[in-house]
Amino acid sequence: MGIASGVNAYPGMQAAAEQTTDSTLERINILPQPFPVALVDFSDIVGEPVNFDQYKGKVVVINLWATWCPPCVRELPALNRLDQTLDAAHFALLPISIDAEAVAIVQPFLESLGLPTFNSYFDPQQRLRDVFPLDTIPATFILNEQGELVAYVRSYVDWDDKNVISFLEQFRKGTK
């Protein structure tokens, strides 16, 4: 059984050939057309339910991560810097921890990394498994302004790349 026999959650999610690249942004797969996603609740730091519908009108960068995942932890400082540079009127960054212990371990962990104000969301029951494959993390999924999946990457990305903002801009329909 080869890689091609695996089930893909979305069109265009076939395994790509291994490639060397100067930019990890090239790892991001852009879907041939936008794909609707189901609305599944996850939670904020105080346990209030959140879903992607609340972010319609913005390009949403969803990063699924866990404290026990070294590549995920490696991404966090750069994601924090990205969040500080994104125009909140047009973009939303939603880092979502899938740690079973949620806030109890995630917040102290973030503080230990020097990221006490990093705003993570939580999916301890991994309900988002109904929307996105969670077998590989870190995983980042990008939604367009209509809340449709337009791109994904199931690997580490250098979010400090100087081209990140222009890469994300391509998913905007323009100013309203």
Side-chain angles (χ1 to χ4, degrees):
M1 264 195 176
I3 293 174
S5 67
V7 175
N8 298 311
Y10 298 105
M13 284 191 77
Q14 293 76 19
E18 200 61 37
Q19 54 185 330
T20 56
T21 176
D22 293 326
S23 172
T24 59
L25 293 178
E26 292 179 16
R27 295 178 185 166
I28 299 174
N29 300 285
I30 298 174
L31 295 177
Q33 70 264 340
F35 195 87
V37 295
L39 291 181
V40 173
D41 287 348
F42 48 99
S43 62
D44 65 14
I45 194 164
V46 295
E48 291 296 315
V50 179
N51 68 49
F52 304 127
D53 206 34
Q54 295 169 237
Y55 297 93
K56 277 197 175 168
K58 296 181 181 189
V59 172
V60 181
V61 178
I62 302 152
N63 179 268
L64 300 170
W65 71 281
T67 58
W68 44 263
C69 164
C72 300
V73 175
R74 181 178 168 200
E75 276 186 322
L76 293 176
L79 283 167
N80 186 52
R81 288 185 292 274
L82 175 62
D83 192 36
Q84 295 167 10
T85 60
L86 286 175
D87 178 352
H90 302 291
F91 298 96
L93 174 66
L94 304 180
I96 303 172
S97 164
I98 62 169
D99 285 284
E101 299 85 3
V103 180
I105 67 161
V106 171
Q107 283 312 117
F109 180 78
L110 290 171
E111 289 174 22
S112 76
L113 293 177
L115 301 169
T117 61
F118 186 74
N119 185 28
S120 185
Y121 294 86
F122 305 92
D123 183 25
Q125 292 82 29
Q126 296 186 11
R127 290 185 193 115
L128 288 171
R129 185 177 301 280
D130 294 339
V131 181
F132 305 119
L134 296 180
D135 59 325
T136 301
I137 58 171
T140 302
F141 300 90
I142 301 172
L143 306 181
N144 64 15
E145 295 164 320
Q146 292 73 44
E148 301 164 314
L149 182 68
V150 291
Y152 71 93
V153 61
R154 297 172 71 200
S155 174
Y156 166 84
V157 171
D158 177 8
W159 297 105
D160 284 325
D161 187 304
K162 63 183 174 33
N163 297 312
V164 167
I165 301 297
S166 60
F167 180 85
L168 294 174
E169 283 284 345
Q170 72 182 305
F171 303 115
R172 289 192 55 218
K173 291 288 186 206
T175 55
K176 295 187 167 68

